[in-house]
Amino acid sequence: MIRRTILTGAAAAALFAGSLGAASAQDTLLLGAAAPQTGPLAGGATVTHWPAVRLWVQQTNAAGGLQVGDQQMTIELVEYDDQTNPQQAIQAAQRMATQDEVDFMVAPYSTGLNLAAAPIFAQLGYPMITGTAVTDQQPALAAQFPNMFFVLGRTSVMAQDTAQLLVDMRERGELGDRVALVNVADAFGIEMAGISKAILEENGFEIVYETSYPLGTQDLAPVIDGARAAEADAFIAWSYPGDTFALTDQAIVQNFAPQVFFTAVATAFPAYQERFGDQIEGVLGMGGVNADDPAFQEFAQAHMEMAGQAPDYWASAATYAALEILGQAIEGAGTTDRAEVLAYLQDRSHEYETILGPVNFNENNDNERYWTVGQWQDGVFRGVASQGRDGVAEVEAFDGWN
């Protein structure tokens, strides 16, 4: 599917006219985006990816566009559905570059699709700033693909911070040693589970139940059956949206309420709270934000007004921040020449102001300031662990499915 989006109408014309000022010309910048609109990850992309991308385009155009040298450039968005299929993601990138001739491309949604598309982004010479990929391969990927930049964080750090929360709870007498560890069987889940298992065992936890399941699995009752039968004190699932919901649903149905219940991607979705209500108070998951930060609150309000839904409490803001970084790099370089924009991004002296706070990249093209673990508290998913971010909340006890 292809879709083009650009702010139009009298209101836009008035905004642009007022902002052009001394600019000698106005032009259009083509921005390509391919991500799931169908397939197993469509639900996640519908929450996290597409609204953030469209909102950034809308707000940038409403502000007059990007100031690129002496040109004021509005943005036209070209969209494709990659069908949650790595080959389709690659083909969409090729088409956007060679047929649509887009100036820049948005990185795909999810770790797996980003890893699949990384070679074609590099081959075509497009900067790739991803707000939805978490992997410990970042140093190796950045060495292989110097055009690739990461905003969301590293798997090992997220696994370490998750394990540290468990260690702290155990030291306070709030948690035993028995852990059930499960994962979705794709690039993200396999990597996270492997790293997590090693860290947990190093810290004296016993893995009493361990399994994986294919992406898109509908019936996860056997997974909860196994964890419950193993009498796990903590349940940790490196899951994607569909399974995050299904695992929680099954845990409630079977009244499996360990001292720690942790699910990964989509735990931070507002729809998760809407689905399960107050029952999820104390549930832990990946990511988080400083929900009290005025910048995030302003973003959330604009997101609701534009998309009719709230952003998630993690990667929505990271996706928006990735585009803020791209826009600032284009303006900083003063050109749409991709090689020059990439050189600007690779200059480590540059810092980018985003809704997450300041972002800068180290020698591995890795942002070192990010959220790692969050928890549902009083109807809000608050960050309870981070690397270099302000507003970390204290962890609260999970009292079961009330």
Side-chain angles (χ1 to χ4, degrees):
M1 189 198 90
I2 182 170
R3 166 177 167 174
R4 293 178 183 267
T5 305
I6 188 167
L7 186 66
T8 58
L15 281 167
F16 298 153
S19 64
L20 289 173
S24 61
Q26 179 179 345
D27 204 349
T28 299
L29 183 148
L30 279 180
L31 179 68
Q37 294 175 346
T38 58
L41 294 182
T46 298
V47 174
T48 297
H49 183 88
W50 288 115
V53 171
R54 293 165 186 159
L55 179 60
W56 182 80
V57 171
Q58 181 189 82
Q59 292 188 324
T60 301
N61 284 345
L66 296 176
Q67 183 65 48
V68 186
D70 63 355
Q71 289 183 301
Q72 195 81 10
M73 303 188 73
T74 55
I75 299 166
E76 182 176 352
L77 181 62
V78 180
E79 299 181 6
Y80 284 93
D81 175 13
D82 66 22
Q83 302 170 30
T84 318
N85 183 312
Q87 189 58 41
Q88 289 295 323
I90 293 167
Q91 292 176 1
Q94 291 172 321
R95 178 171 176 174
M96 288 187 290
T98 61
Q99 296 184 34
D100 300 310
E101 297 183 342
V102 299
D103 297 293
F104 295 93
M105 289 192 284
V106 182
Y109 173 78
S110 84
T111 301
L113 293 174
N114 271 280
L115 295 182
I120 194 66
F121 269 71
Q123 179 185 329
L124 297 170
Y126 283 80
M128 187 178 188
I129 310 169
T130 172
T132 59
V134 285
T135 174
D136 251 28
Q137 299 177 48
Q138 288 179 16
L141 287 167
Q144 185 177 4
F145 308 118
N147 64 312
M148 196 172 189
F149 302 83
F150 300 86
V151 175
L152 206 57
R154 295 193 186 192
T155 46
S156 62
V157 179
M158 292 181 177
Q160 287 165 0
D161 282 3
T162 302
Q164 187 60 51
L165 288 178
L166 270 59
V167 169
D168 293 344
M169 292 178 69
R170 185 177 60 187
E171 290 179 351
R172 295 194 299 267
E174 300 170 356
L175 180 66
D177 291 326
R178 300 169 64 82
V179 177
L181 182 65
V182 309
N183 67 278
V184 61
D186 85 329
F188 160 79
I190 293 168
E191 182 177 4
M192 288 300 301
I195 295 170
S196 184
K197 180 179 180 180
I199 295 172
L200 288 167
E201 290 180 337
E202 286 170 8
N203 282 279
F205 289 97
E206 179 187 1
I207 308 300
V208 295
Y209 177 72
E210 184 178 7
T211 193
S212 64
Y213 50 86
L215 180 64
T217 299
Q218 299 297 311
D219 182 12
L220 290 170
V223 173
I224 297 299
D225 283 339
R228 188 168 182 266
E231 299 182 346
D233 300 310
F235 177 79
I236 298 178
W238 300 109
S239 53
Y240 266 150
D243 24 310
T244 292
F245 279 75
L247 288 166
T248 304
D249 190 54
Q250 282 300 317
I252 294 171
V253 168
Q254 299 187 37
N255 195 29
F256 172 56
Q259 294 160 312
V260 166
F261 190 86
F262 175 105
T263 45
V265 182
T267 312
F269 285 9
Y272 188 77
Q273 198 273 338
E274 292 168 7
R275 169 75 176 274
F276 299 111
D278 293 342
Q279 295 181 100
I280 60 168
E281 285 293 303
V283 168
L284 291 162
M286 288 186 78
V289 294
N290 179 358
D292 299 324
D293 183 358
F296 176 78
Q297 292 178 344
E298 182 179 346
F299 164 70
Q301 181 178 349
H303 192 287
M304 176 64 79
E305 291 173 355
M306 189 276 299
Q309 64 184 35
D312 71 33
Y313 288 98
W314 182 32
S316 288
T319 299
Y320 188 93
L323 287 165
E324 288 182 302
I325 293 165
L326 177 61
Q328 290 172 36
I330 293 169
E331 291 186 322
T335 178
T336 58
D337 182 276
R338 288 186 290 276
E340 293 190 37
V341 173
L342 179 56
Y344 187 94
L345 286 163
Q346 291 168 334
D347 184 340
R348 301 297 184 265
S349 68
H350 296 133
E351 185 171 80
Y352 306 91
E353 292 301 321
T354 77
I355 58 170
L356 295 174
V359 169
N360 60 288
F361 298 107
N362 63 18
E363 67 275 10
N364 294 323
N365 294 358
D366 173 23
N367 171 38
E368 295 183 312
R369 291 177 281 194
Y370 49 88
W371 292 93
T372 54
V373 187
Q375 184 180 47
W376 281 100
Q377 300 178 359
D378 298 322
V380 176
F381 191 75
R382 299 184 180 278
V384 294
S386 80
Q387 297 293 305
R389 290 295 179 206
D390 296 327
V392 175
E394 294 292 329
V395 175
E396 298 180 355
F398 173 56
D399 294 328
W401 311 110
N402 299 319

